[in-house]
Amino acid sequence: MLTIGRSTFAGAAFATLISNVAIAGTVAGNATYRERIAVPPDATLFVELQDISLADAPAVTLAAQRYALTGVPAQFELTYDDALIKDGYRYAVRASVMQGQKLLFTTDTNYPVLTNGAENTADLLMVQVQHQDAAMLENTEWVASGLNGAPIETEKRPELAFGQSGTFSGSGGCNRFSGQAEISANRIEFPDNMAATLMACPPPMDEVERQFLKAMQSVTTFAMQGNALALLDADGEPVIKLTRK
């Protein structure tokens, strides 16, 4: 009886241990770009699995991996905790190629995985980031199309216009704002003391405006391609996407 008791105790302890261990899942695929451009010798591929369920909040990174990049297509595999994945939520994979702090390529669309009929594999097509100087922004007007990785679906969307020598103005949807940005090469920094009106804003526009103004404070660089403008944070994430008016 003593031996049986010890076996039972050991079995229960093992079951408890197993129940406390996270069950890992994987998302795998390839990342590439169309341009016939050789990969710089010090380039890296950065791939993320993100929760993009909330349209008015930043995407949440659930898993990320950085790889030394020698060529494309490049294979990737991300390991995540199954307990983080919830039915009905939306998940996507994004990728970017960096050379030091310089963003060379990035995905510009969502690649869904794991839920809502999506698989655990994704083939990612990245686009080349065109790095312009500050003069390319002068005398341009833009309307926001995406915020923190999700599309803006309100009837009235934030707008942004650039004048000469870093001056800018715009609207969060309700309130007007203006100021002087620091722009050099492809780097841009908005001031935290912008002049702005203080009108009350009805939902859901109030939250979109709040998130838009907050995202502006995290912007460090910009990338323009045709009629599209992306404002990126320090990690190279496109926190605000805009289209030319």
Side-chain angles (χ1 to χ4, degrees), residues 3 9-10 26 31-32 35 42 58-59 61 106-107 110 131 149 153 168 184 190 197 208 233:
T3 302
F9 176 77
T26 60
T32 191
E35 289 80 4
D42 55 346
T61 298
T106 187
T107 47
N110 288 328
H131 294 284
E153 298 176 343
F168 69 91
S184 176
F190 293 99
T197 59
V208 171
D233 65 12

Side-chain angles (χ1 to χ4, degrees), residues 100-133:
Q101 295 299 311
K102 184 178 181 181
L103 178 66
L104 303 181
F105 296 88
T106 187
T107 47
D108 63 350
T109 187
N110 288 328
Y111 289 86
V113 290
L114 300 180
T115 57
N116 303 310
E119 303 292 336
N120 66 339
T121 58
D123 290 326
L124 312 181
L125 179 63
M126 299 177 289
V127 298
Q128 187 177 16
V129 174
Q130 302 294 331
H131 294 284
Q132 293 87 7
D133 59 32

Side-chain angles (χ1 to χ4, degrees), residues 175-242:
N175 288 285
R176 301 289 306 176
F177 57 82
S178 61
Q180 179 81 33
E182 295 291 334
I183 307 176
S184 176
N186 72 318
R187 299 194 65 81
I188 182 170
E189 183 177 348
F190 293 99
D192 56 9
N193 58 344
M194 295 185 293
T197 59
L198 298 173
M199 295 188 300
C201 194
M205 196 62 244
D206 57 344
E207 183 62 19
V208 171
E209 181 172 270
R210 187 184 72 82
Q211 290 289 338
F212 180 79
L213 295 174
K214 181 180 179 181
M216 287 181 66
Q217 299 304 309
S218 68
V219 170
T220 61
T221 58
F222 72 92
M224 190 189 306
Q225 186 173 39
N227 290 322
L229 172 66
L231 302 180
L232 316 171
D233 65 12
D235 296 323
E237 297 276 1
V239 291
I240 302 176
K241 292 184 178 180
L242 307 103

